[in-house]
Short mmCIF file of all heavy atoms in Angstrom, two decimals:
data_model
loop_
_atom_site.label_atom_id
_atom_site.label_comp_id
_atom_site.label_asym_id
_atom_site.label_seq_id
_atom_site.Cartn_x
_atom_site.Cartn_y
_atom_site.Cartn_z
N SER A 20 78.26 105.29 91.32
CA SER A 20 78.72 104.18 92.09
C SER A 20 78.98 102.91 91.21
O SER A 20 79.97 102.17 91.44
CB SER A 20 77.71 103.78 93.18
OG SER A 20 76.43 103.61 92.62
N PHE A 21 78.17 102.76 90.15
CA PHE A 21 78.44 101.64 89.17
C PHE A 21 79.75 101.94 88.48
O PHE A 21 80.59 100.96 88.34
CB PHE A 21 77.31 101.57 88.18
CG PHE A 21 77.37 100.42 87.21
CD1 PHE A 21 76.65 99.26 87.52
CD2 PHE A 21 78.07 100.46 86.08
CE1 PHE A 21 76.75 98.15 86.68
CE2 PHE A 21 78.14 99.43 85.21
CZ PHE A 21 77.47 98.25 85.47
N ALA A 22 79.93 103.12 88.02
CA ALA A 22 81.22 103.47 87.35
C ALA A 22 82.43 103.32 88.28
O ALA A 22 83.50 102.84 87.86
CB ALA A 22 81.19 104.89 86.80
N ALA A 23 82.23 103.64 89.49
CA ALA A 23 83.34 103.54 90.52
C ALA A 23 83.66 102.03 90.71
O ALA A 23 84.85 101.68 90.84
CB ALA A 23 82.93 104.15 91.84
N GLY A 24 82.65 101.21 90.73
CA GLY A 24 82.90 99.79 90.84
C GLY A 24 83.66 99.21 89.67
O GLY A 24 84.63 98.44 89.85
N GLY A 25 83.28 99.62 88.47
CA GLY A 25 83.99 99.13 87.29
C GLY A 25 85.42 99.64 87.27
O GLY A 25 86.37 98.97 86.93
N ALA A 26 85.59 100.92 87.62
CA ALA A 26 86.97 101.49 87.69
C ALA A 26 87.80 100.84 88.71
O ALA A 26 89.01 100.64 88.49
CB ALA A 26 86.82 103.02 87.98
N ALA A 27 87.26 100.47 89.85
CA ALA A 27 87.99 99.73 90.89
C ALA A 27 88.49 98.45 90.40
O ALA A 27 89.65 98.09 90.62
CB ALA A 27 87.13 99.57 92.13
N TYR A 28 87.64 97.71 89.65
CA TYR A 28 88.14 96.43 89.09
C TYR A 28 89.18 96.60 88.11
O TYR A 28 90.24 95.91 88.08
CB TYR A 28 86.91 95.70 88.53
CG TYR A 28 87.28 94.25 88.06
CD1 TYR A 28 87.06 93.26 88.97
CD2 TYR A 28 87.78 94.00 86.84
CE1 TYR A 28 87.42 91.94 88.63
CE2 TYR A 28 88.12 92.73 86.49
CZ TYR A 28 87.92 91.67 87.36
OH TYR A 28 88.30 90.40 87.03
N ILE A 29 89.04 97.63 87.21
CA ILE A 29 90.05 97.84 86.20
C ILE A 29 91.40 98.29 86.84
O ILE A 29 92.42 97.72 86.45
CB ILE A 29 89.53 98.93 85.18
CG1 ILE A 29 88.34 98.41 84.38
CG2 ILE A 29 90.69 99.32 84.27
CD1 ILE A 29 87.66 99.48 83.57
N GLY A 30 91.33 99.12 87.79
CA GLY A 30 92.49 99.58 88.54
C GLY A 30 93.21 98.38 89.22
O GLY A 30 94.44 98.30 89.14
N THR A 31 92.42 97.55 89.81
CA THR A 31 93.00 96.39 90.51
C THR A 31 93.70 95.43 89.50
O THR A 31 94.80 94.92 89.70
CB THR A 31 91.94 95.64 91.25
OG1 THR A 31 91.36 96.56 92.20
CG2 THR A 31 92.54 94.48 92.07
N GLU A 32 93.03 95.26 88.39
CA GLU A 32 93.59 94.37 87.35
C GLU A 32 94.90 94.93 86.84
O GLU A 32 95.89 94.19 86.58
CB GLU A 32 92.55 94.26 86.20
CG GLU A 32 92.87 93.13 85.23
CD GLU A 32 91.74 92.96 84.27
OE1 GLU A 32 91.33 93.94 83.63
OE2 GLU A 32 91.31 91.81 84.03
N MET A 33 94.93 96.26 86.62
CA MET A 33 96.18 96.91 86.13
C MET A 33 97.28 96.70 87.17
O MET A 33 98.48 96.49 86.82
CB MET A 33 95.91 98.37 85.89
CG MET A 33 95.01 98.61 84.71
SD MET A 33 94.54 100.41 84.58
CE MET A 33 96.17 101.15 84.29
N LEU A 34 96.93 96.86 88.48
CA LEU A 34 97.96 96.62 89.51
C LEU A 34 98.46 95.20 89.53
O LEU A 34 99.71 95.01 89.63
CB LEU A 34 97.32 97.01 90.89
CG LEU A 34 98.21 96.88 92.08
CD1 LEU A 34 99.47 97.78 91.97
CD2 LEU A 34 97.45 97.12 93.37
N ILE A 35 97.61 94.27 89.32
CA ILE A 35 98.03 92.85 89.28
C ILE A 35 98.94 92.60 88.15
O ILE A 35 100.01 91.92 88.29
CB ILE A 35 96.77 91.91 89.14
CG1 ILE A 35 95.87 92.04 90.47
CG2 ILE A 35 97.22 90.51 88.96
CD1 ILE A 35 94.57 91.32 90.29
N GLU A 36 98.64 93.14 86.95
CA GLU A 36 99.51 93.02 85.79
C GLU A 36 100.84 93.65 86.06
O GLU A 36 101.88 93.11 85.61
CB GLU A 36 98.82 93.57 84.62
CG GLU A 36 97.62 92.81 84.09
CD GLU A 36 96.85 93.51 82.95
OE1 GLU A 36 97.26 94.66 82.65
OE2 GLU A 36 95.91 92.93 82.46
N ARG A 37 100.90 94.80 86.69
CA ARG A 37 102.17 95.48 86.95
C ARG A 37 103.05 94.62 87.93
O ARG A 37 104.24 94.48 87.73
CB ARG A 37 101.88 96.87 87.55
CG ARG A 37 103.14 97.70 87.80
CD ARG A 37 102.85 99.09 88.18
NE ARG A 37 102.16 99.73 87.12
CZ ARG A 37 101.71 101.02 87.10
NH1 ARG A 37 101.93 101.73 88.20
NH2 ARG A 37 101.11 101.54 86.13
N ILE A 38 102.34 94.14 89.01
CA ILE A 38 103.05 93.26 89.90
C ILE A 38 103.62 92.02 89.26
O ILE A 38 104.74 91.55 89.43
CB ILE A 38 102.20 92.98 91.16
CG1 ILE A 38 101.92 94.14 91.96
CG2 ILE A 38 102.88 91.88 92.02
CD1 ILE A 38 100.89 93.93 93.01
N SER A 39 102.76 91.43 88.41
CA SER A 39 103.09 90.21 87.69
C SER A 39 104.27 90.41 86.85
O SER A 39 105.19 89.59 86.73
CB SER A 39 101.90 89.68 86.91
OG SER A 39 102.28 88.53 86.22
N SER A 40 104.32 91.52 86.08
CA SER A 40 105.38 91.76 85.13
C SER A 40 106.74 92.01 85.80
O SER A 40 107.78 91.84 85.26
CB SER A 40 105.02 92.97 84.25
OG SER A 40 104.87 94.14 84.96
N ALA A 41 106.59 92.53 87.08
CA ALA A 41 107.87 92.84 87.83
C ALA A 41 108.42 91.62 88.52
O ALA A 41 109.59 91.63 89.03
CB ALA A 41 107.52 93.91 88.93
N ARG A 42 107.70 90.49 88.48
CA ARG A 42 108.15 89.27 89.17
C ARG A 42 108.64 88.31 88.07
O ARG A 42 108.29 88.47 86.91
CB ARG A 42 107.08 88.59 89.98
CG ARG A 42 106.73 89.42 91.22
CD ARG A 42 105.53 88.78 91.93
NE ARG A 42 105.35 89.43 93.27
CZ ARG A 42 105.73 88.83 94.35
NH1 ARG A 42 106.35 87.67 94.37
NH2 ARG A 42 105.55 89.46 95.54
N SER A 43 109.45 87.37 88.54
CA SER A 43 109.90 86.32 87.66
C SER A 43 109.50 84.97 88.20
O SER A 43 109.20 84.85 89.34
CB SER A 43 111.46 86.39 87.54
OG SER A 43 112.09 86.28 88.75
N GLY A 44 109.56 83.97 87.41
CA GLY A 44 109.28 82.61 87.84
C GLY A 44 107.81 82.38 88.07
O GLY A 44 107.11 81.91 87.22
N GLY A 45 107.30 82.70 89.27
CA GLY A 45 105.91 82.37 89.63
C GLY A 45 104.94 83.52 89.35
O GLY A 45 103.99 83.62 90.02
N SER A 46 105.20 84.34 88.32
CA SER A 46 104.40 85.50 88.02
C SER A 46 102.98 85.06 87.62
O SER A 46 101.98 85.63 88.08
CB SER A 46 105.05 86.37 87.01
OG SER A 46 105.18 85.62 85.76
N SER A 47 102.87 84.02 86.81
CA SER A 47 101.56 83.56 86.41
C SER A 47 100.77 83.02 87.56
O SER A 47 99.59 83.30 87.73
CB SER A 47 101.71 82.50 85.31
OG SER A 47 102.31 82.96 84.20
N MET A 48 101.43 82.30 88.46
CA MET A 48 100.74 81.76 89.65
C MET A 48 100.32 82.91 90.50
O MET A 48 99.14 82.92 91.01
CB MET A 48 101.80 80.88 90.39
CG MET A 48 101.37 80.52 91.81
SD MET A 48 99.97 79.35 91.81
CE MET A 48 99.72 79.22 93.55
N TRP A 49 101.15 83.94 90.65
CA TRP A 49 100.77 85.03 91.54
C TRP A 49 99.55 85.78 90.91
O TRP A 49 98.65 86.18 91.64
CB TRP A 49 102.00 86.01 91.61
CG TRP A 49 101.75 87.39 92.20
CD1 TRP A 49 101.55 88.56 91.54
CD2 TRP A 49 101.60 87.63 93.63
NE1 TRP A 49 101.34 89.51 92.49
CE2 TRP A 49 101.37 89.00 93.74
CE3 TRP A 49 101.73 86.87 94.76
CZ2 TRP A 49 101.18 89.60 94.98
CZ3 TRP A 49 101.58 87.47 95.98
CH2 TRP A 49 101.29 88.86 96.12
N MET A 50 99.56 86.04 89.64
CA MET A 50 98.44 86.79 89.03
C MET A 50 97.14 86.00 89.12
O MET A 50 96.10 86.66 89.47
CB MET A 50 98.82 87.06 87.55
CG MET A 50 97.79 87.98 86.88
SD MET A 50 98.34 88.51 85.31
CE MET A 50 97.01 89.61 84.80
N ILE A 51 97.15 84.74 88.89
CA ILE A 51 95.95 83.97 88.98
C ILE A 51 95.40 83.96 90.46
O ILE A 51 94.19 84.14 90.66
CB ILE A 51 96.17 82.47 88.48
CG1 ILE A 51 96.47 82.49 86.99
CG2 ILE A 51 95.03 81.61 88.84
CD1 ILE A 51 96.88 81.12 86.54
N TYR A 52 96.38 83.79 91.39
CA TYR A 52 95.90 83.69 92.78
C TYR A 52 95.29 85.08 93.21
O TYR A 52 94.22 85.08 93.84
CB TYR A 52 97.11 83.37 93.65
CG TYR A 52 96.77 83.22 95.12
CD1 TYR A 52 96.26 82.02 95.57
CD2 TYR A 52 96.95 84.28 95.97
CE1 TYR A 52 95.93 81.93 96.94
CE2 TYR A 52 96.56 84.17 97.33
CZ TYR A 52 96.06 82.99 97.79
OH TYR A 52 95.73 82.88 99.12
N VAL A 53 95.95 86.11 92.97
CA VAL A 53 95.49 87.46 93.39
C VAL A 53 94.20 87.76 92.71
O VAL A 53 93.23 88.32 93.33
CB VAL A 53 96.56 88.51 93.10
CG1 VAL A 53 96.00 89.91 93.41
CG2 VAL A 53 97.81 88.27 93.93
N ALA A 54 94.05 87.44 91.45
CA ALA A 54 92.78 87.77 90.68
C ALA A 54 91.62 87.04 91.30
O ALA A 54 90.56 87.68 91.53
CB ALA A 54 92.94 87.34 89.22
N VAL A 55 91.76 85.72 91.63
CA VAL A 55 90.69 85.00 92.19
C VAL A 55 90.44 85.49 93.65
O VAL A 55 89.24 85.57 94.04
CB VAL A 55 90.97 83.50 92.15
CG1 VAL A 55 89.83 82.73 92.86
CG2 VAL A 55 91.14 83.05 90.75
N ALA A 56 91.43 85.77 94.36
CA ALA A 56 91.23 86.33 95.73
C ALA A 56 90.48 87.60 95.73
O ALA A 56 89.57 87.81 96.55
CB ALA A 56 92.63 86.50 96.40
N ILE A 57 90.74 88.48 94.79
CA ILE A 57 90.00 89.71 94.66
C ILE A 57 88.51 89.44 94.23
O ILE A 57 87.63 90.07 94.74
CB ILE A 57 90.73 90.69 93.66
CG1 ILE A 57 92.01 91.18 94.17
CG2 ILE A 57 89.80 91.88 93.29
CD1 ILE A 57 92.86 91.97 93.24
N ASP A 58 88.35 88.51 93.35
CA ASP A 58 87.01 88.19 92.92
C ASP A 58 86.18 87.70 94.09
O ASP A 58 85.02 88.07 94.32
CB ASP A 58 87.02 87.11 91.79
CG ASP A 58 85.64 86.75 91.31
OD1 ASP A 58 85.03 87.59 90.75
OD2 ASP A 58 85.25 85.61 91.51
N LEU A 59 86.79 86.78 94.92
CA LEU A 59 86.07 86.28 96.14
C LEU A 59 85.85 87.36 97.17
O LEU A 59 84.86 87.36 97.89
CB LEU A 59 86.78 85.09 96.64
CG LEU A 59 86.58 83.76 95.89
CD1 LEU A 59 87.63 82.77 96.33
CD2 LEU A 59 85.17 83.22 95.98
N SER A 60 86.82 88.31 97.20
CA SER A 60 86.63 89.48 98.13
C SER A 60 85.42 90.27 97.64
O SER A 60 84.63 90.77 98.52
CB SER A 60 87.85 90.35 98.17
OG SER A 60 88.97 89.55 98.67
N GLY A 61 85.26 90.40 96.35
CA GLY A 61 84.08 91.08 95.84
C GLY A 61 82.77 90.35 96.17
O GLY A 61 81.75 90.99 96.50
N ASP A 62 82.80 89.01 96.13
CA ASP A 62 81.64 88.24 96.47
C ASP A 62 81.28 88.52 97.99
O ASP A 62 80.11 88.65 98.37
CB ASP A 62 81.91 86.74 96.36
CG ASP A 62 82.11 86.34 94.88
OD1 ASP A 62 81.77 87.16 93.99
OD2 ASP A 62 82.61 85.25 94.61
#
């Protein structure tokens, strides 16, 4: 379960980076927002 939690975070981070690289303009804003939203969802 610990490994699954770590893998879930890594997978989510990879997804955010992929979405961010596919966007233009506000990609940095999008990545920061989604990353913090996921972190608070984990909380």
